[in-house]
Amino acid sequence: MVSFSHENRNLTAGLSGDIDHHNATAMRRLIDLEIKQHLPSEITLDFGDVTFMDSSGIGLILGRCRLMKEIGGKVKIRNTSEQIRKVIKLSGVDRITEVE
């Protein structure tokens, strides 16, 4: 699901499993709660343990970009598989946030 680590004002959300219609809503809620509690200047979404992602994952990323922009922060994406990189590139998300 989602695990968190904090370093200074940076938050890392380690995502795991499938990010699809069934799981994305719960993941969004957990991440949003963590952001609102800690007000990080940056959040890194780590896709290292994600096995599948569809358009629900794009919604997850875009929503966190909006939330972070509201508090003056930014989003980074890292450890994406080839399939997830393709989905991100096709959606244009790579043009609005940093993908490592």
Side-chain angles (χ1 to χ4, degrees), residues 60-77:
L60 183 145
I61 295 168
L62 291 175
R64 295 343 23 99
C65 286
R66 279 191 297 275
L67 180 56
M68 289 301 292
K69 187 176 181 178
E70 288 174 11
I71 65 169
K74 65 180 183 175
V75 175
K76 285 186 178 179
I77 299 170

Side-chain angles (χ1 to χ4, degrees), residues 21-90:
H21 172 71
H22 301 290
N23 299 325
T25 301
M27 288 179 159
R28 285 193 304 262
R29 284 186 192 136
L30 290 170
I31 295 168
D32 288 355
L33 181 61
E34 199 76 10
I35 289 170
K36 290 173 183 174
Q37 286 180 343
H38 297 280
L39 300 173
S41 59
E42 179 179 292
I43 182 170
T44 300
L45 300 175
D46 188 330
F47 285 82
D49 292 324
V50 173
T51 52
F52 171 81
M53 183 179 91
D54 63 13
S55 61
S56 300
I58 297 303
L60 183 145
I61 295 168
L62 291 175
R64 295 343 23 99
C65 286
R66 279 191 297 275
L67 180 56
M68 289 301 292
K69 187 176 181 178
E70 288 174 11
I71 65 169
K74 65 180 183 175
V75 175
K76 285 186 178 179
I77 299 170
R78 77 170 178 217
N79 292 327
T80 57
S81 68
E82 186 176 333
Q83 181 264 339
I84 292 171
R85 273 192 304 278
K86 285 179 183 176
V87 173
I88 288 171
K89 187 168 178 71
L90 287 170

